[in-house]
Amino acid sequence: HVPAEGRVLDLGCGTGDIAHAMATVGMRVTACDISREMLRRASEQDVGGAVDWVQLDTGWRTLPFGTATFDAIVAASVLEYVDNPCAVLGECARVLRPGGILVCTVPDPTHPARWGEWVVSLVTGVPGTVAAARLWPRLVNYLAYLRISRHWHLAGWWSAAAARCGLRDIPCPPGDVEHTPLRLLTFQRPYDRRDGYCSSIPLPRRTSAGPSGSTSGRLPRTTRWRSTGPSPPRYGERSGRDGGRG
């Protein structure tokens, strides 16, 4: 889906593994995250300066990129943590070019591994559980993950949310992806009608498959620091358990 030397955004890039991989095959990559430390570690591995590293404000609501900038966006394990996934999807739709693709992964609540995690998350509400867990640091980290991973929705919910933002759902072919704890979602920004393409948004069900503080400054080499303004959400509903960390 991405043309030669196409522009790709890695949203919530972390330490940059995906961004590095895409740059290696010739894509022009911009990678962003709210964590300065993650971006520092990622940029240290970018010896040739192939990736444009951009830090987002912790409470960003508008991506610091122009409309129709990217041919594709990757958001791997990001949407489950944001306050308002509808707002994030809306911003992805804005910065995508017509015909551009959004690829993301989210937790699949229908996978048995997620059932176990749901039970554990209930146990954390029992008095004394968190205090006892401090004896095992790895368990503390795991419980922290369960607290901040808030958006475990079925495929239809994600399809409807994307449709409200003007993104067309692209279903995975049946049998093409194995059932894992992560669900692969793919959406496309439709072409304009004047380009001869219909922009209606179908809502098929999907096949299961398997972002700290900020201060203005410039990171080493090609890394750039940018901040988003405090403007209100432009897409979706207000934050809520089923509305949508931005």
Side-chain angles (χ1 to χ4, degrees):
H1 290 286
V2 181
E5 299 186 354
R7 294 200 61 183
V8 182
L9 175 65
D10 185 358
L11 179 61
C13 63
T15 55
D17 292 344
I18 295 176
H20 289 307
M22 293 190 295
T24 299
V25 297
M27 300 180 188
R28 293 183 296 160
V29 182
T30 299
C32 57
D33 204 286
I34 63 171
S35 171
R36 181 183 181 89
E37 176 60 21
M38 289 288 193
L39 289 172
R40 183 191 65 78
R41 291 165 58 184
S43 64
E44 287 178 349
Q45 303 301 316
D46 186 19
V47 178
V51 179
D52 184 16
W53 306 98
V54 179
Q55 180 164 7
L56 302 175
D57 284 351
T58 303
W60 70 270
R61 292 180 175 178
T62 303
L63 289 170
F65 311 112
T67 298
T69 297
F70 299 101
D71 297 292
I73 299 175
V74 175
S77 296
V78 171
L79 295 176
E80 64 188 280
Y81 301 109
V82 302
D83 287 331
N84 190 339
C86 293
V88 175
L89 287 169
E91 274 299 282
C92 288
R94 180 183 67 81
V95 301
L96 274 175
R97 292 171 177 162
I101 297 295
L102 168 62
V103 178
C104 44
T105 57
V106 295
D108 183 356
T110 69
H111 191 277
R114 300 300 183 186
W115 305 345
E117 290 178 339
W118 179 76
V119 172
V120 173
S121 67
L122 294 180
V123 174
T124 59
V126 178
T129 301
V130 176
R134 292 172 183 160
L135 298 173
W136 298 277
R138 292 184 63 182
L139 180 57
V140 172
N141 293 335
Y142 180 63
L143 295 180
Y145 154 72
L146 292 178
R147 286 196 299 273
I148 64 177
S149 176
R150 293 172 290 171
H151 297 288
W152 292 17
H153 303 297
L154 296 175
W157 190 96
W158 290 109
S159 294
R164 289 196 297 271
C165 299
L167 294 170
R168 184 171 67 90
D169 189 25
I170 302 179
C172 297
D176 212 33
V177 183
E178 65 175 305
H179 192 196
T180 73
L182 287 177
R183 182 187 301 277
L184 176 67
L185 303 173
T186 308
F187 305 107
Q188 182 179 41
R189 176 182 172 181
Y191 289 91
D192 296 333
R193 290 182 183 276
R194 62 178 176 271
D195 293 327
Y197 291 82
C198 177
S199 59
S200 60
I201 311 294
L203 294 175
R205 296 189 63 84
R206 305 297 309 281
T207 299
S208 296
S212 297
S214 62
T215 308
S216 183
R218 185 177 180 87
L219 297 177
R221 290 189 297 275
T222 61
T223 304
R224 289 183 286 163
W225 180 295
R226 303 178 188 170
S227 297
T228 60
S231 56
R234 298 181 56 184
Y235 302 88
E237 300 80 24
R238 295 175 61 86
S239 298
R241 183 155 186 91
D242 245 22
R245 177 174 110 157

